[in-house]
Amino acid sequence: MQVQLTNRQQHILRATVRHYIATAEPVGSKALVEEFDLGVSSATIRNVMGVLEKAGLLYQPHTSAGRIPSDSGYRIYVDQLITPSQSLEKQIEAALQGSLKWEDWSLETLLQGATQILATLSGCVSLITIPQNNLSVLRHLQLVQIETGQIMLIVVTDGYETHSTLMDLPSLSENRPDVEVIDRELQIVSNFLNSQLRGKSLIELPLLDWSKLDREFQRYGEYLKTSLVELTRRSFSPISTQIMVRGVSEVLRQPEFSQIEQVQTIIQLLEEEQEKLWPLIFDETELEQIDKPQVTIRIGSENNLEPIRTCTLISSMYHRGSIPVGSVGVLGPTRLNYENAIALVAAAAEYLSEAMSM
């Protein structure tokens, strides 16, 4: 979301969000004057808050009440107004290392311990998926011309499973392509794919270094990249949707969860319908960026599951080597300490990645 705010508007939005996170009470201009050194009068703050409300970043829950951040306001806050503390991330990682000993524990015990620590430190529901071990290794790849204008990419794994995808042949010229020439070129590109990818995981397909392909065949690269990513997504199916969960009772004491019906739907999702939650926490779009670990933040209505559309879900993949095998996340009200939660998730994912790679 691109919203251009002045420096004053940024300061007042940041102060409003932080005050609301701390108090869970609608925020008025007087409270901001007393708590933050904004250097402006209460009247000026009211005017700016009115502008932020018109922009959809704040709203009034009741006519006579102060204002609270909207999902869009939190999004601006997260994307533009905070910098997750790297020092805090290091402190958290040190705490995990001090409390958890992967050399002495079983994998299940390690994950249970990490889940509990994450819940305790964040004050949120913590979620850690068990590692995925069905990472098929590539045995053979082949490009085959099916008919004029179309080719098929066929992938055979070490378990002799076959995956395939159709793609349009790149337009090389206005003339009708020579079938035999195309067959020879496809064989050369197939040989390249096999030399670079044989013995690697299916998830590593998108990481292929196309610069090693001879320049005269580079035209195939752009067309194949998209097909390889799509093939990876379609062929990657988790062996389990088991998610370890801790911290439910603590977070549900927050005022946002005062309605028993809402609490019941969240508990049902976490305990009985984890397969619905899985696509959010184990984000397959990150398979395209397995060499770029990142934290994903879904705020309120950005979550497509109805039970958590008033919640924030923060998650990050953990890896074995360069391959994502699981995910770490926290689930809480949109009114949460984002700086700390982001640092916690990043540190936990980094810690588990180190453990998985030992």
Side-chain angles (χ1 to χ4, degrees):
M1 180 179 182
Q2 294 296 322
V3 176
Q4 295 298 321
L5 301 179
T6 66
N7 287 337
R8 177 175 291 173
Q9 290 168 345
Q10 289 180 359
H11 292 323
I12 291 175
L13 177 59
R14 183 189 293 112
T16 303
V17 173
R18 288 182 173 172
H19 184 84
Y20 183 65
I21 287 172
T23 66
E25 296 291 338
V27 185
S29 58
K30 182 180 179 182
L32 296 186
V33 168
E34 294 174 351
E35 185 174 348
F36 299 92
D37 182 17
L38 296 173
V40 293
S41 68
S42 179
T44 299
I45 292 175
R46 280 197 300 274
N47 289 336
V48 172
M49 293 179 82
V51 172
L52 295 173
E53 183 175 2
K54 290 179 180 178
L57 306 183
L58 300 177
Y59 70 95
Q60 286 183 291
H62 309 289
T63 305
S64 60
R67 294 173 174 89
I68 66 178
S70 66
D71 292 348
S72 297
Y74 282 122
R75 173 51 64 190
I76 294 295
Y77 177 75
V78 168
D79 289 349
Q80 301 180 23
L81 304 182
I82 65 171
T83 302
S85 171
Q86 292 185 346
S87 61
L88 176 60
E89 187 175 328
K90 292 179 180 178
Q91 292 174 18
I92 294 166
E93 192 168 349
L96 288 169
Q97 291 174 344
S99 302
L100 303 176
K101 302 296 182 182
W102 68 65
E103 301 92 340
D104 303 326
W105 292 2
S106 68
L107 177 59
E108 182 178 357
T109 303
L110 173 68
L111 294 176
Q112 288 176 344
T115 310
Q116 184 59 60
I117 290 173
L118 189 58
T120 301
L121 294 178
S122 68
C124 297
V125 176
S126 64
L127 311 162
I128 296 183
T129 69
I130 66 168
Q132 300 300 297
N133 295 313
N134 63 332
L135 303 176
S136 299
V137 172
L138 297 167
R139 184 182 183 91
H140 184 73
L141 301 95
Q142 188 71 41
L143 290 166
V144 179
Q145 187 171 192
I146 301 300
E147 58 183 40
T148 302
Q150 272 199 327
I151 59 177
M152 177 179 285
L153 170 63
I154 302 170
V155 174
V156 182
T157 68
D158 56 343
Y160 292 97
E161 294 179 340
T162 301
H163 307 277
S164 63
T165 185
L166 278 173
M167 57 179 283
D168 293 330
L169 189 67
S171 178
L172 308 179
S173 69
E174 295 181 359
N175 300 323
R176 186 180 180 86
D178 186 296
V179 173
E180 292 185 0
V181 171
I182 296 299
D183 282 340
R184 286 198 298 271
E185 290 187 340
L186 292 179
Q187 186 58 56
I188 290 171
V189 177
S190 296
N191 292 340
F192 165 76
L193 292 173
N194 280 291
S195 68
Q196 297 296 314
L197 293 171
R198 184 184 288 118
K200 294 188 176 180
S201 165
L202 199 58
I203 291 181
E204 294 178 273
L205 281 174
L207 289 182
L208 178 62
D209 184 0
W210 292 99
S211 66
K212 295 181 180 180
L213 182 61
D214 290 345
R215 180 171 297 179
E216 60 184 304
F217 303 111
Q218 287 284 343
R219 60 181 176 268
Y220 288 101
E222 292 302 318
Y223 291 85
L224 283 167
K225 285 179 185 177
T226 302
S227 296
L228 289 171
V229 169
E230 180 59 29
L231 182 64
T232 301
R233 285 180 179 171
R234 286 197 285 110
S235 59
F236 184 81
S237 55
I239 57 172
S240 173
T241 56
Q242 183 180 347
I243 304 173
M244 294 187 174
V245 179
R246 295 290 188 278
V248 175
S249 59
E250 288 80 4
V251 77
L252 293 182
R253 295 193 186 101
Q254 297 292 337
E256 288 86 348
F257 304 110
S258 58
Q259 297 182 350
I260 188 64
E261 296 84 1
Q262 182 187 17
V263 171
Q264 289 174 337
T265 58
I266 292 177
I267 291 176
Q268 182 175 352
L269 176 67
L270 295 174
E271 294 184 350
E272 302 175 18
E273 300 175 344
Q274 290 190 356
E275 71 280 357
K276 295 181 180 179
L277 186 61
W278 182 273
L280 292 183
I281 188 170
F282 197 93
D283 187 356
E284 293 186 15
T285 62
E286 290 194 28
L287 297 179
E288 300 175 46
Q289 303 174 318
I290 60 178
D291 59 337
K292 301 175 183 178
Q294 61 181 7
V295 175
T296 300
I297 305 163
R298 293 183 175 87
I299 301 171
S301 56
E302 296 171 3
N303 292 298
N304 57 18
L305 289 177
E306 186 61 36
I308 59 171
R309 287 179 67 84
T310 58
C311 302
T312 286
L313 176 63
I314 301 176
S315 62
S316 182
M317 296 289 218
Y318 65 88
H319 298 68
R320 179 181 291 119
S322 63
I323 302 171
V325 293
S327 184
V328 176
V330 295
L331 178 70
T334 53
R335 183 190 60 83
L336 59 76
N337 188 322
Y338 285 91
E339 293 98 321
N340 285 7
I342 293 169
L344 274 164
V345 169
E350 179 64 27
Y351 175 83
L352 290 179
S353 295
E354 291 180 11
M356 291 297 106
S357 301
M358 290 294 288

